[in-house]
Amino acid sequence: GKAGRAFGVGLGWRPDDEEMSPFLKLFGMLWGLGAWATLPAVIGGYIGNPFVPQPWIEDALAVGTEKGRFPGNAVELDASGNVKVNKFTELPVVGE
């Protein structure tokens, strides 16, 4: 719509088709019509991307552990606050 055009973002599949159901348009976009990377991005959001490292997760766990936040047992830190052991790497399937 107007907001999308103002910001120059992709308008998706058949943006000006007033006769087609918005639900059908959304379904088409999920399958890549007008936004080829939508479905992989959605799936990656749910299951993560095993091919790209995500160092921010371990960093966030380290900061949380130092500040006494839950979960306090996910990582072990050395004396300087660096991650010595990430317990998630020891889990079957997840850590492989």
Side-chain angles (χ1 to χ4, degrees), residues 4-5 8 19 25 32 34 39 44-45 50 53 56 65 67-68 75 85 89 91 93-94:
R5 287 183 182 89
E19 294 182 23
K25 288 183 191 180
L39 192 57
W56 68 269
T65 299
K67 295 186 184 249
V75 292
V85 177
T89 61
L91 293 173
V93 180
V94 176

Short mmCIF file of all heavy atoms in Angstrom, two decimals, residues 4-5 8 19 25 32 34 39 44-45 50 53 56 65 67-68 75 85 89 91 93-94:
data_model
loop_
_atom_site.label_atom_id
_atom_site.label_comp_id
_atom_site.label_asym_id
_atom_site.label_seq_id
_atom_site.Cartn_x
_atom_site.Cartn_y
_atom_site.Cartn_z
N GLY A 4 4.11 1.16 2.22
CA GLY A 4 5.18 0.41 1.58
C GLY A 4 5.85 1.19 0.47
O GLY A 4 7.07 1.21 0.33
N ARG A 5 5.04 1.87 -0.34
CA ARG A 5 5.60 2.67 -1.43
C ARG A 5 6.44 3.83 -0.88
O ARG A 5 7.48 4.18 -1.43
CB ARG A 5 4.49 3.19 -2.32
CG ARG A 5 3.88 2.11 -3.20
CD ARG A 5 2.81 2.68 -4.14
NE ARG A 5 2.20 1.63 -4.93
CZ ARG A 5 1.14 0.91 -4.55
NH1 ARG A 5 0.56 1.14 -3.40
NH2 ARG A 5 0.66 -0.03 -5.33
N GLY A 8 9.71 2.45 0.08
CA GLY A 8 10.42 1.78 -1.00
C GLY A 8 10.62 0.29 -0.79
O GLY A 8 11.52 -0.30 -1.35
N GLU A 19 -9.43 -7.56 -6.27
CA GLU A 19 -10.42 -8.63 -6.36
C GLU A 19 -9.95 -9.93 -5.70
O GLU A 19 -10.77 -10.71 -5.24
CB GLU A 19 -10.76 -8.88 -7.83
CG GLU A 19 -11.48 -7.71 -8.47
CD GLU A 19 -11.85 -7.97 -9.91
OE1 GLU A 19 -11.97 -9.16 -10.29
OE2 GLU A 19 -12.02 -7.01 -10.65
N LYS A 25 -3.38 -14.04 -1.50
CA LYS A 25 -2.13 -13.32 -1.77
C LYS A 25 -1.05 -13.73 -0.76
O LYS A 25 0.10 -13.95 -1.14
CB LYS A 25 -2.35 -11.81 -1.67
CG LYS A 25 -3.14 -11.22 -2.80
CD LYS A 25 -3.21 -9.72 -2.59
CE LYS A 25 -4.18 -9.05 -3.51
NZ LYS A 25 -4.22 -7.60 -3.28
N GLY A 32 6.62 -18.00 -2.29
CA GLY A 32 7.67 -17.35 -3.06
C GLY A 32 7.20 -16.48 -4.20
O GLY A 32 8.04 -15.96 -4.94
N GLY A 34 6.45 -13.25 -5.71
CA GLY A 34 6.64 -11.84 -5.38
C GLY A 34 7.62 -11.60 -4.26
O GLY A 34 8.05 -10.47 -4.04
N LEU A 39 9.54 -17.84 2.39
CA LEU A 39 9.40 -19.13 3.07
C LEU A 39 10.71 -19.58 3.73
O LEU A 39 10.68 -19.97 4.90
CB LEU A 39 8.88 -20.19 2.09
CG LEU A 39 8.43 -21.49 2.72
CD1 LEU A 39 7.35 -21.25 3.76
CD2 LEU A 39 7.91 -22.43 1.65
N GLY A 44 13.62 -20.53 8.67
CA GLY A 44 14.84 -20.26 9.42
C GLY A 44 14.57 -19.60 10.76
O GLY A 44 15.29 -19.81 11.73
N GLY A 45 13.51 -18.79 10.82
CA GLY A 45 13.14 -18.16 12.09
C GLY A 45 12.66 -19.16 13.12
O GLY A 45 12.86 -18.97 14.32
N PRO A 50 21.46 -23.73 10.57
CA PRO A 50 22.64 -24.46 11.04
C PRO A 50 23.89 -24.16 10.23
O PRO A 50 24.98 -24.56 10.62
CB PRO A 50 22.22 -25.93 10.86
CG PRO A 50 21.24 -25.90 9.75
CD PRO A 50 20.51 -24.60 9.88
N PRO A 53 26.87 -19.31 11.68
CA PRO A 53 27.03 -19.19 13.13
C PRO A 53 26.26 -17.99 13.68
O PRO A 53 26.11 -16.97 13.02
CB PRO A 53 28.54 -19.00 13.30
CG PRO A 53 29.09 -18.64 11.98
CD PRO A 53 28.10 -19.10 10.94
N TRP A 56 25.82 -14.15 18.63
CA TRP A 56 25.08 -13.31 19.57
C TRP A 56 24.35 -14.14 20.62
O TRP A 56 24.13 -13.67 21.75
CB TRP A 56 24.10 -12.40 18.83
CG TRP A 56 22.97 -13.11 18.18
CD1 TRP A 56 22.92 -13.60 16.91
CD2 TRP A 56 21.71 -13.44 18.77
NE1 TRP A 56 21.72 -14.22 16.67
CE2 TRP A 56 20.94 -14.13 17.80
CE3 TRP A 56 21.14 -13.23 20.02
CZ2 TRP A 56 19.66 -14.61 18.05
CZ3 TRP A 56 19.86 -13.71 20.26
CH2 TRP A 56 19.14 -14.38 19.28
N THR A 65 24.42 -14.87 32.26
CA THR A 65 25.02 -15.66 33.33
C THR A 65 25.79 -14.75 34.28
O THR A 65 25.70 -14.89 35.51
CB THR A 65 25.94 -16.74 32.74
OG1 THR A 65 25.15 -17.61 31.93
CG2 THR A 65 26.63 -17.54 33.83
N LYS A 67 25.19 -11.72 34.97
CA LYS A 67 24.26 -10.87 35.72
C LYS A 67 23.28 -11.69 36.57
O LYS A 67 22.37 -11.12 37.17
CB LYS A 67 23.50 -9.96 34.76
CG LYS A 67 24.42 -8.98 34.08
CD LYS A 67 23.67 -8.00 33.24
CE LYS A 67 24.65 -7.11 32.52
NZ LYS A 67 24.65 -5.76 32.97
N GLY A 68 23.44 -13.02 36.58
CA GLY A 68 22.60 -13.87 37.41
C GLY A 68 21.21 -14.11 36.85
O GLY A 68 20.28 -14.43 37.60
N VAL A 75 25.83 -21.84 30.14
CA VAL A 75 27.23 -21.71 29.76
C VAL A 75 28.09 -21.64 31.02
O VAL A 75 27.62 -21.21 32.08
CB VAL A 75 27.50 -20.45 28.89
CG1 VAL A 75 26.84 -20.59 27.54
CG2 VAL A 75 27.06 -19.19 29.57
N VAL A 85 32.48 -23.31 28.33
CA VAL A 85 31.67 -24.45 27.89
C VAL A 85 30.26 -23.96 27.60
O VAL A 85 29.66 -23.28 28.43
CB VAL A 85 31.61 -25.56 28.98
CG1 VAL A 85 30.71 -26.69 28.54
CG2 VAL A 85 32.99 -26.06 29.31
N THR A 89 26.06 -27.35 23.20
CA THR A 89 26.87 -28.14 22.26
C THR A 89 26.99 -29.59 22.71
O THR A 89 27.38 -30.44 21.93
CB THR A 89 28.27 -27.53 22.10
OG1 THR A 89 28.93 -27.53 23.36
CG2 THR A 89 28.20 -26.13 21.53
N LEU A 91 24.38 -31.34 23.86
CA LEU A 91 23.10 -32.02 23.67
C LEU A 91 23.11 -32.89 22.43
O LEU A 91 23.68 -32.51 21.41
CB LEU A 91 21.98 -31.00 23.53
CG LEU A 91 21.65 -30.17 24.78
CD1 LEU A 91 20.65 -29.09 24.42
CD2 LEU A 91 21.11 -31.07 25.86
N VAL A 93 21.83 -34.33 18.98
CA VAL A 93 21.15 -33.78 17.82
C VAL A 93 21.39 -32.26 17.74
O VAL A 93 21.90 -31.77 16.75
CB VAL A 93 19.65 -34.11 17.77
CG1 VAL A 93 19.00 -33.50 16.54
CG2 VAL A 93 19.42 -35.60 17.80
N VAL A 94 21.04 -31.52 18.78
CA VAL A 94 21.19 -30.06 18.74
C VAL A 94 22.65 -29.67 18.67
O VAL A 94 23.02 -28.78 17.93
CB VAL A 94 20.52 -29.42 19.99
CG1 VAL A 94 20.75 -27.93 20.01
CG2 VAL A 94 19.06 -29.76 20.03
#
